[in-house]
Coordinates of all heavy atoms in Angstrom, one line a residue:
P173 N 6.5 14.0 4.9 CA 5.9 14.6 3.7 C 7.1 14.7 2.6 O 8.3 14.8 3.0 CB 5.6 16.0 4.0 CG 5.5 16.0 5.5 CD 6.4 14.9 6.0
V174 N 6.7 14.4 1.4 CA 7.6 14.3 0.3 C 7.1 15.3 -0.8 O 6.0 15.4 -1.2 CB 7.6 12.9 -0.3 CG1 8.5 12.8 -1.6 CG2 8.1 11.9 0.7
N175 N 8.1 16.1 -1.3 CA 7.9 17.1 -2.3 C 7.9 16.3 -3.6 O 9.1 16.0 -4.1 CB 8.9 18.2 -2.2 CG 8.7 19.2 -3.3 OD1 7.8 19.1 -4.2 ND2 9.4 20.3 -3.3
S176 N 6.8 16.0 -4.3 CA 6.9 15.2 -5.5 C 7.5 16.0 -6.6 O 7.8 15.4 -7.7 CB 5.5 14.8 -5.9 OG 4.7 15.9 -6.1
D177 N 7.8 17.3 -6.5 CA 8.5 18.0 -7.6 C 10.0 17.8 -7.4 O 10.7 18.3 -8.3 CB 8.1 19.5 -7.5 CG 6.7 19.8 -7.9 OD1 6.1 18.9 -8.6 OD2 6.1 20.8 -7.4
D178 N 10.5 17.3 -6.4 CA 11.9 17.1 -6.1 C 12.2 15.7 -6.4 O 12.0 14.8 -5.6 CB 12.2 17.5 -4.6 CG 13.7 17.4 -4.3 OD1 14.4 16.6 -4.9 OD2 14.0 18.1 -3.4
Y179 N 12.8 15.4 -7.6 CA 13.0 14.0 -8.0 C 13.9 13.3 -7.1 O 13.6 12.1 -6.7 CB 13.7 14.1 -9.4 CG 13.9 12.7 -10.0 CD1 12.8 12.0 -10.4 CD2 15.1 12.2 -10.0 CE1 13.0 10.6 -10.9 CE2 15.3 10.8 -10.5 CZ 14.3 10.1 -10.9 OH 14.5 8.8 -11.4
L180 N 15.0 13.9 -6.6 CA 16.0 13.2 -5.7 C 15.2 12.8 -4.4 O 15.3 11.7 -3.8 CB 17.1 14.0 -5.4 CG 18.0 14.1 -6.6 CD1 19.3 15.1 -6.2 CD2 18.6 12.8 -7.1
M181 N 14.4 13.7 -3.8 CA 13.6 13.5 -2.6 C 12.6 12.3 -2.8 O 12.5 11.5 -2.0 CB 12.9 14.7 -2.1 CG 12.1 14.5 -0.9 SD 11.1 16.0 -0.4 CE 12.4 17.1 0.2
L182 N 12.0 12.3 -4.0 CA 11.0 11.3 -4.3 C 11.7 10.0 -4.4 O 11.2 8.9 -3.9 CB 10.3 11.7 -5.7 CG 9.1 10.9 -6.0 CD1 8.1 10.9 -4.9 CD2 8.6 11.3 -7.4
Q183 N 12.9 9.9 -5.0 CA 13.6 8.7 -5.2 C 14.0 8.1 -3.8 O 13.9 6.9 -3.4 CB 14.9 8.8 -6.1 CG 14.6 9.1 -7.5 CD 13.7 7.9 -8.1 OE1 12.6 8.0 -8.3 NE2 14.4 6.8 -8.3
E184 N 14.5 9.0 -2.9 CA 14.9 8.6 -1.6 C 13.7 8.2 -0.8 O 13.8 7.1 -0.1 CB 15.5 9.8 -0.9 CG 16.0 9.5 0.5 CD 16.7 10.6 1.2 OE1 17.1 11.6 0.5 OE2 16.9 10.6 2.4
A185 N 12.6 8.8 -0.9 CA 11.3 8.3 -0.3 C 10.9 6.9 -0.7 O 10.6 6.1 0.1 CB 10.2 9.3 -0.4
N186 N 11.0 6.7 -2.0 CA 10.7 5.4 -2.6 C 11.6 4.3 -2.0 O 11.1 3.2 -1.8 CB 10.6 5.4 -4.1 CG 9.4 6.2 -4.7 OD1 8.4 6.3 -4.0 ND2 9.6 6.7 -5.8
E187 N 12.8 4.6 -2.0 CA 13.8 3.6 -1.5 C 13.6 3.4 0.0 O 13.7 2.2 0.5 CB 15.2 4.1 -1.6 CG 15.7 4.1 -3.1 CD 16.9 4.9 -3.4 OE1 17.6 5.4 -2.4 OE2 17.3 5.2 -4.5
S188 N 13.2 4.5 0.8 CA 13.0 4.2 2.2 C 11.7 3.3 2.3 O 11.6 2.4 3.3 CB 12.6 5.6 2.8 OG 13.8 6.3 2.8
V189 N 10.7 3.6 1.6 CA 9.5 2.7 1.7 C 9.8 1.2 1.4 O 9.4 0.4 2.1 CB 8.4 3.3 0.7 CG1 7.2 2.3 0.6 CG2 7.8 4.6 1.2
A190 N 10.6 1.0 0.4 CA 11.0 -0.3 0.0 C 11.7 -1.0 1.1 O 11.5 -2.2 1.5 CB 11.8 -0.3 -1.3
R191 N 12.6 -0.3 1.8 CA 13.4 -0.8 2.9 C 12.4 -1.1 4.1 O 12.5 -2.2 4.7 CB 14.5 0.1 3.4 CG 15.6 0.1 2.5 CD 16.9 0.9 3.1 NE 16.6 2.1 3.8 CZ 16.6 3.3 3.2 NH1 16.9 3.4 2.0 NH2 16.4 4.4 3.9
I192 N 11.5 -0.3 4.3 CA 10.5 -0.4 5.5 C 9.7 -1.7 5.1 O 9.3 -2.5 6.1 CB 9.7 0.8 5.7 CG1 10.6 1.9 6.3 CG2 8.5 0.5 6.6 CD1 10.0 3.3 6.2
M193 N 9.1 -1.8 4.0 CA 8.3 -3.0 3.6 C 9.1 -4.2 3.7 O 8.5 -5.3 4.2 CB 7.7 -2.7 2.2 CG 6.8 -1.6 2.1 SD 5.4 -1.7 3.2 CE 4.9 0.0 3.3
K194 N 10.3 -4.2 3.3 CA 11.1 -5.5 3.4 C 11.3 -5.9 4.9 O 11.2 -7.0 5.3 CB 12.5 -5.4 2.8 CG 13.3 -6.6 2.8 CD 14.6 -6.4 2.2 CE 15.5 -7.7 2.2 NZ 15.3 -8.6 3.3
I195 N 11.6 -4.9 5.7 CA 11.8 -5.1 7.2 C 10.5 -5.7 7.8 O 10.5 -6.7 8.5 CB 12.2 -3.9 7.9 CG1 13.7 -3.5 7.5 CG2 12.1 -4.1 9.4 CD1 14.1 -2.1 7.9
A196 N 9.3 -5.1 7.4 CA 8.1 -5.6 7.9 C 7.8 -7.0 7.5 O 7.4 -7.8 8.3 CB 7.0 -4.6 7.3
R197 N 8.1 -7.4 6.3 CA 7.9 -8.7 5.8 C 8.8 -9.7 6.5 O 8.5 -10.8 6.9 CB 8.0 -8.8 4.3 CG 6.8 -8.3 3.5 CD 6.9 -8.6 2.1 NE 8.2 -8.3 1.5 CZ 8.5 -7.2 0.7 NH1 7.5 -6.3 0.5 NH2 9.6 -7.1 0.3
D198 N 10.1 -9.2 6.6 CA 11.1 -10.1 7.3 C 10.8 -10.3 8.7 O 11.1 -11.4 9.3 CB 12.5 -9.4 7.2 CG 13.1 -9.4 5.9 OD1 12.6 -10.1 5.0 OD2 14.1 -8.6 5.6
L199 N 10.0 -9.5 9.3 CA 9.6 -9.6 10.8 C 8.2 -10.4 10.8 O 7.6 -10.4 11.9 CB 9.5 -8.3 11.5 CG 10.9 -7.6 11.6 CD1 10.7 -6.2 12.2 CD2 11.8 -8.4 12.6
D200 N 7.8 -10.9 9.7 CA 6.5 -11.6 9.6 C 5.3 -10.6 9.8 O 4.3 -11.0 10.3 CB 6.4 -12.8 10.6 CG 7.3 -13.9 10.1 OD1 7.5 -14.1 9.0 OD2 7.8 -14.6 11.1
G201 N 5.6 -9.4 9.5 CA 4.5 -8.4 9.7 C 3.6 -8.4 8.4 O 3.9 -9.1 7.4
V202 N 2.5 -7.6 8.5 CA 1.5 -7.6 7.4 C 1.5 -6.2 6.9 O 1.4 -5.2 7.7 CB 0.1 -8.1 7.9 CG1 -0.9 -7.9 6.8 CG2 0.2 -9.5 8.5
I203 N 1.5 -6.0 5.6 CA 1.4 -4.7 5.0 C -0.1 -4.3 4.9 O -0.8 -5.0 4.4 CB 2.0 -4.6 3.6 CG1 3.5 -5.0 3.7 CG2 1.8 -3.3 2.9 CD1 4.3 -5.1 2.4
S204 N -0.4 -3.3 5.7 CA -1.8 -2.9 5.7 C -1.8 -1.3 5.8 O -0.8 -0.7 5.8 CB -2.5 -3.6 6.9 OG -2.0 -3.1 8.1
G205 N -3.0 -0.8 5.9 CA -3.2 0.6 6.0 C -4.4 1.0 6.9 O -5.4 0.2 6.8
E206 N -4.3 2.0 7.6 CA -5.4 2.5 8.5 C -6.7 2.7 7.7 O -7.7 2.4 8.1 CB -5.0 3.7 9.3 CG -6.0 4.1 10.3 CD -5.6 5.3 11.1 OE1 -4.4 5.7 11.0 OE2 -6.4 5.8 11.8
H207 N -6.4 3.3 6.5 CA -7.7 3.7 5.7 C -7.6 3.0 4.3 O -8.2 3.5 3.4 CB -7.6 5.2 5.5 CG -7.8 6.0 6.7 ND1 -8.9 6.1 7.4 CD2 -6.8 6.6 7.5 CE1 -8.7 6.8 8.5 NE2 -7.5 7.1 8.6
G208 N -7.1 1.9 4.3 CA -7.0 1.0 3.1 C -5.6 1.0 2.5 O -4.7 1.7 2.9
I209 N -5.4 0.1 1.5 CA -4.1 -0.1 0.9 C -4.1 0.8 -0.4 O -4.9 0.6 -1.2 CB -3.9 -1.6 0.5 CG1 -4.0 -2.5 1.7 CG2 -2.6 -1.7 -0.2 CD1 -3.0 -2.3 2.7
G210 N -3.3 1.8 -0.3 CA -3.2 2.7 -1.5 C -2.0 2.3 -2.4 O -1.4 1.3 -2.3
I211 N -1.8 3.2 -3.3 CA -0.7 3.0 -4.4 C 0.7 2.8 -3.8 O 1.5 2.0 -4.4 CB -0.7 4.0 -5.4 CG1 -0.4 5.4 -4.8 CG2 -2.0 4.1 -6.2 CD1 -0.2 6.5 -5.9
T212 N 1.0 3.3 -2.6 CA 2.4 3.2 -2.1 C 2.6 1.8 -1.6 O 3.6 1.2 -1.9 CB 2.5 4.2 -0.9 OG1 2.4 5.5 -1.4 CG2 3.9 4.1 -0.3
K213 N 1.6 1.1 -1.0 CA 1.8 -0.2 -0.5 C 1.4 -1.3 -1.4 O 1.8 -2.5 -1.2 CB 1.1 -0.3 0.9 CG 1.6 0.7 1.9 CD 0.8 0.6 3.2 CE 1.2 1.6 4.2 NZ 0.3 1.7 5.2
L214 N 0.5 -1.0 -2.3 CA -0.1 -2.1 -3.2 C 1.0 -2.9 -3.9 O 1.0 -4.1 -4.0 CB -1.0 -1.4 -4.1 CG -1.8 -2.4 -5.0 CD1 -2.7 -3.3 -4.1 CD2 -2.7 -1.6 -5.9
E215 N 2.1 -2.2 -4.3 CA 3.1 -3.0 -5.1 C 3.9 -3.9 -4.3 O 4.5 -4.8 -4.8 CB 4.1 -2.0 -5.7 CG 5.0 -1.2 -4.8 CD 5.9 -0.2 -5.5 OE1 7.0 -0.7 -5.9 OE2 5.5 1.0 -5.6
F216 N 3.8 -3.8 -2.9 CA 4.5 -4.7 -2.1 C 3.7 -5.9 -1.6 O 4.2 -6.8 -0.8 CB 5.1 -3.9 -0.8 CG 6.0 -2.8 -1.3 CD1 5.6 -1.6 -1.3 CD2 7.3 -3.1 -1.6 CE1 6.5 -0.5 -1.8 CE2 8.2 -2.1 -2.0 CZ 7.8 -0.8 -2.1
L217 N 2.5 -6.0 -2.0 CA 1.6 -7.1 -1.6 C 1.7 -8.2 -2.6 O 1.7 -8.0 -3.8 CB 0.2 -6.7 -1.6 CG -0.2 -5.7 -0.3 CD1 -1.7 -5.3 -0.5 CD2 0.0 -6.5 1.0
P218 N 1.8 -9.5 -2.1 CA 1.7 -10.6 -3.0 C 0.4 -10.7 -3.7 O -0.6 -10.2 -3.2 CB 2.0 -11.8 -2.2 CG 2.0 -11.4 -0.8 CD 2.0 -9.9 -0.8
A219 N 0.4 -11.2 -4.9 CA -0.9 -11.3 -5.8 C -2.0 -11.9 -5.0 O -3.2 -11.5 -5.1 CB -0.7 -12.0 -7.0
E220 N -1.8 -13.0 -4.2 CA -2.9 -13.7 -3.5 C -3.5 -12.8 -2.4 O -4.6 -12.8 -2.0 CB -2.4 -15.0 -2.8 CG -1.3 -14.9 -1.8 CD 0.1 -14.9 -2.3 OE1 0.3 -14.8 -3.6 OE2 1.0 -15.0 -1.5
R221 N -2.7 -11.9 -1.8 CA -3.2 -10.9 -0.8 C -4.1 -9.9 -1.5 O -5.1 -9.5 -1.0 CB -2.1 -10.2 -0.1 CG -1.4 -11.0 1.0 CD -2.1 -11.1 2.3 NE -1.6 -12.1 3.1 CZ -0.8 -11.9 4.1 NH1 -0.3 -10.7 4.4 NH2 -0.3 -12.9 4.8
V222 N -3.6 -9.4 -2.6 CA -4.4 -8.4 -3.3 C -5.8 -9.0 -3.8 O -6.8 -8.3 -3.5 CB -3.6 -7.9 -4.7 CG1 -4.5 -7.0 -5.5 CG2 -2.3 -7.2 -4.2
T223 N -5.8 -10.2 -4.2 CA -7.0 -10.9 -4.5 C -8.0 -11.0 -3.4 O -9.1 -10.7 -3.4 CB -6.7 -12.3 -5.2 OG1 -5.9 -12.1 -6.3 CG2 -7.9 -13.0 -5.5
A224 N -7.4 -11.5 -2.2 CA -8.1 -11.6 -1.0 C -8.7 -10.2 -0.5 O -9.9 -10.2 -0.2 CB -7.3 -12.3 0.1
F225 N -7.8 -9.3 -0.5 CA -8.3 -7.9 -0.1 C -9.5 -7.4 -1.0 O -10.4 -6.8 -0.6 CB -7.2 -6.9 0.0 CG -6.3 -6.9 1.2 CD1 -5.0 -7.0 1.1 CD2 -6.9 -7.0 2.4 CE1 -4.1 -7.0 2.2 CE2 -6.0 -7.0 3.5 CZ -4.7 -7.0 3.4
A226 N -9.2 -7.6 -2.3 CA -10.2 -7.1 -3.3 C -11.6 -7.8 -3.1 O -12.6 -7.2 -3.2 CB -9.7 -7.2 -4.7
A227 N -11.5 -9.1 -2.8 CA -12.8 -9.8 -2.7 C -13.5 -9.4 -1.4 O -14.7 -9.2 -1.4 CB -12.4 -11.3 -2.6
Y228 N -12.7 -9.1 -0.3 CA -13.4 -8.6 0.9 C -13.9 -7.2 0.7 O -15.0 -6.9 1.1 CB -12.3 -8.5 2.0 CG -12.8 -7.9 3.2 CD1 -13.6 -8.6 4.1 CD2 -12.4 -6.6 3.6 CE1 -14.1 -8.0 5.2 CE2 -12.9 -6.0 4.7 CZ -13.7 -6.7 5.6 OH -14.2 -6.1 6.7
K229 N -13.2 -6.3 0.0 CA -13.7 -4.9 -0.2 C -15.0 -5.0 -1.0 O -15.9 -4.3 -0.8 CB -12.6 -4.1 -1.0 CG -13.1 -2.8 -1.3 CD -12.2 -1.7 -0.7 CE -12.4 -0.2 -1.2 NZ -13.8 0.2 -1.1
R230 N -15.0 -5.9 -2.0 CA -16.3 -6.0 -2.8 C -17.5 -6.5 -1.9 O -18.6 -6.0 -2.2 CB -16.1 -7.0 -4.0 CG -15.4 -6.4 -5.2 CD -15.5 -7.3 -6.4 NE -14.9 -8.6 -6.2 CZ -13.6 -8.9 -6.3 NH1 -12.8 -8.0 -6.7 NH2 -13.2 -10.1 -6.1
R231 N -17.2 -7.4 -1.1 CA -18.3 -7.9 -0.1 C -18.7 -6.8 0.8 O -20.0 -6.6 1.1 CB -17.8 -9.1 0.8 CG -17.8 -10.4 0.0 CD -17.6 -11.6 0.9 NE -16.6 -11.5 2.0 CZ -15.3 -11.8 1.9 NH1 -14.9 -12.2 0.7 NH2 -14.6 -11.6 2.9
V232 N -17.9 -6.0 1.4 CA -18.3 -5.0 2.4 C -18.6 -3.7 1.8 O -19.3 -2.9 2.5 CB -17.2 -4.8 3.5 CG1 -17.0 -6.1 4.3 CG2 -15.9 -4.3 3.0
D233 N -18.2 -3.5 0.6 CA -18.5 -2.2 0.0 C -18.7 -2.4 -1.5 O -17.9 -1.9 -2.4 CB -17.3 -1.2 0.2 CG -17.4 0.2 -0.4 OD1 -18.6 0.6 -0.6 OD2 -16.4 0.9 -0.7
P234 N -19.8 -3.1 -1.9 CA -20.1 -3.4 -3.3 C -20.3 -2.3 -4.2 O -20.0 -2.4 -5.4 CB -21.3 -4.3 -3.2 CG -22.0 -3.9 -1.9 CD -20.9 -3.5 -0.9
D235 N -20.6 -1.1 -3.7 CA -20.8 0.1 -4.5 C -19.6 0.9 -4.6 O -19.6 2.0 -5.2 CB -22.0 0.8 -4.1 CG -23.4 0.0 -4.2 OD1 -23.5 -0.7 -5.2 OD2 -24.2 0.1 -3.4
G236 N -18.5 0.6 -3.9 CA -17.3 1.3 -4.0 C -17.3 2.7 -3.4 O -16.7 3.7 -3.9
H237 N -18.1 2.9 -2.3 CA -18.3 4.3 -1.7 C -17.1 4.7 -0.9 O -16.8 5.9 -0.7 CB -19.5 4.3 -0.9 CG -20.8 4.2 -1.7 ND1 -21.1 5.2 -2.6 CD2 -21.7 3.3 -1.7 CE1 -22.3 4.9 -3.2 NE2 -22.6 3.7 -2.7
F238 N -16.4 3.7 -0.2 CA -15.4 4.0 0.8 C -14.0 3.9 0.2 O -13.7 3.0 -0.5 CB -15.5 3.1 2.0 CG -16.9 3.1 2.5 CD1 -17.8 2.0 2.5 CD2 -17.3 4.2 3.3 CE1 -19.1 2.1 3.0 CE2 -18.6 4.3 3.8 CZ -19.4 3.2 3.7
N239 N -13.2 4.9 0.4 CA -11.8 5.0 0.1 C -11.6 4.6 -1.4 O -10.8 3.7 -1.7 CB -11.0 4.1 1.0 CG -11.0 4.6 2.4 OD1 -10.9 5.8 2.6 ND2 -11.1 3.7 3.4
K240 N -12.2 5.4 -2.2 CA -12.1 5.1 -3.7 C -10.6 5.1 -4.1 O -9.9 5.8 -3.6 CB -12.9 6.2 -4.5 CG -14.3 6.0 -4.5 CD -14.9 7.0 -5.6 CE -16.4 6.8 -5.5 NZ -16.9 5.5 -6.1
G241 N -10.4 4.1 -4.9 CA -9.0 3.9 -5.5 C -8.1 3.2 -4.5 O -6.9 3.0 -4.8
K242 N -8.6 2.7 -3.4 CA -7.8 2.1 -2.4 C -8.4 0.6 -2.2 O -9.5 0.4 -2.6 CB -7.7 2.7 -1.1 CG -7.0 4.1 -1.1 CD -6.8 4.6 0.2 CE -6.0 5.9 0.1 NZ -5.8 6.5 1.4
L243 N -7.6 -0.3 -1.7 CA -7.9 -1.7 -1.5 C -8.3 -1.9 0.0 O -7.6 -1.4 0.8 CB -6.9 -2.5 -2.0 CG -7.2 -4.0 -2.1 CD1 -8.3 -4.3 -3.0 CD2 -6.0 -4.8 -2.6

């Protein structure tokens, strides 16, 4: 958990996420999420992945009922 009112804690958490995402990519891992790709992980996805995920989400959830705001 991160206290978003604590600027230093928030910065440290963001740096930790960036390190973790780099390690995942370096190990040929895939950035994904159990309940969708939200704002934390979205910035770490290459554009072609975002496009592919968005196309898939439109096919399986054309009315946008599931996990609003997530990919």
Side-chain angles (χ1 to χ4, degrees):
V174 176
N175 179 355
S176 61
D177 292 335
D178 183 331
Y179 181 75
L180 292 177
M181 181 185 285
L182 191 58
Q183 291 301 105
E184 184 177 341
N186 287 337
E187 290 167 8
S188 296
V189 168
R191 285 194 313 269
I192 291 166
M193 296 300 158
K194 181 181 181 328
I195 291 168
R197 286 191 311 262
D198 290 348
L199 294 171
D200 293 325
V202 176
I203 296 171
S204 64
E206 182 178 352
H207 299 284
I209 304 294
I211 58 173
T212 301
K213 296 176 185 168
L214 189 59
E215 70 181 274
F216 298 99
L217 289 175
E220 64 272 7
R221 287 277 168 98
V222 172
T223 300
F225 279 134
Y228 175 76
K229 178 124 169 52
R230 280 191 302 274
R231 281 196 316 273
V232 299
D233 184 22
D235 297 321
H237 293 294
F238 303 107
N239 295 320
K240 285 192 179 288
K242 293 187 179 180
L243 191 56

